[in-house]
Amino acid sequence: MGKIVVILLLGTALMAGAGLWYAQTRGYYDPVDGPVTLTLEGPNGLIKIPAREVQAIASNSSPLGFRACFAHDLDLAVLAGVTPDAPQGDGALRAYTAPDAAPTIAPGWFDCFDAPALGALLADGTARAFTAYSNAAFGVDRVVALTADGRGWAWHALNDCGDRAYDGTPVGEECPDRATFQPLTEGSL
């Protein structure tokens, strides 16, 4: 009788563990069907990124679950306004400067998005992160990182409004009104 109880307990623990693993790595993520909105915020509005080879996933349980990988033909020096007079750029595009600009970890099966490697590219200056779309979801910005060799990645990160909204601090007037807020719909731009 004791062996049967132990076998049942172990079997239940294995099934629960497998279910938890599946939920965390596969169950809440879906490929993004249709066009993915990839833009950069410029001084005169949004600039569409002519992306190709786009792969994207999104989580149906959190707006932070968005990840994308793509290729591009953009000249980063031109985008950032780098000239001999302004070697650091003129700030034409909003560089993403939050201290946690590094992307969060993607599920292991979405192998084009290696967050630690991308974080290293951002840290050594090989990749530059830009604000792609402010408030893609309430309190969540879409961030795009680009390299000069034509690689690009996108992910979502909490902005100042989201940090305050989700920790209970009063959000202030600079945050969008939740009652009328419309999140980004993929492919709508």
Side-chain angles (χ1 to χ4, degrees):
M1 178 71 171
K3 288 181 181 182
I4 294 174
V5 171
V6 169
I7 290 171
L8 286 175
L9 286 174
L10 287 175
T12 302
L14 284 173
M15 289 189 323
L20 183 61
W21 171 84
Y22 180 80
Q24 293 301 311
T25 62
R26 306 235 181 218
Y28 294 114
Y29 288 95
D30 290 317
V32 175
D33 293 327
V36 175
T37 302
L38 294 170
T39 59
L40 296 170
E41 284 192 1
N44 300 320
L46 296 174
I47 301 165
K48 287 188 179 182
I49 297 174
R52 61 185 191 289
E53 302 170 30
V54 178
Q55 299 176 53
I57 59 171
S59 170
N60 57 19
S61 65
S62 169
L64 296 174
F66 175 83
R67 310 284 190 294
C69 308
F70 57 94
H72 68 87
D73 294 320
L74 299 170
D75 184 338
L76 294 186
V78 171
L79 282 177
V82 174
T83 65
D85 297 329
Q88 299 301 317
D90 64 5
L93 295 176
R94 284 185 50 200
Y96 194 78
T97 57
D100 57 351
T104 53
I105 305 295
W109 55 267
F110 193 62
D111 56 2
C112 71
F113 196 94
D114 183 349
L118 178 52
L121 292 174
L122 289 166
D124 72 14
T126 303
R128 292 194 59 194
F130 300 97
T131 302
Y133 195 95
S134 293
N135 286 304
F138 184 84
V140 176
D141 290 343
R142 181 163 292 177
V143 179
V144 168
L146 304 171
T147 61
D149 66 3
R151 294 177 293 160
W153 302 267
W155 68 93
H156 285 177
L158 285 179
N159 58 27
D160 290 337
C161 182
D163 282 336
R164 288 190 306 244
Y166 299 116
D167 76 2
T169 307
V171 294
E173 294 178 15
E174 63 274 2
C175 292
D177 178 31
R178 271 194 189 245
T180 59
F181 177 75
Q182 293 293 316
L184 172 67
T185 303
E186 293 302 336
S188 63
L189 301 176

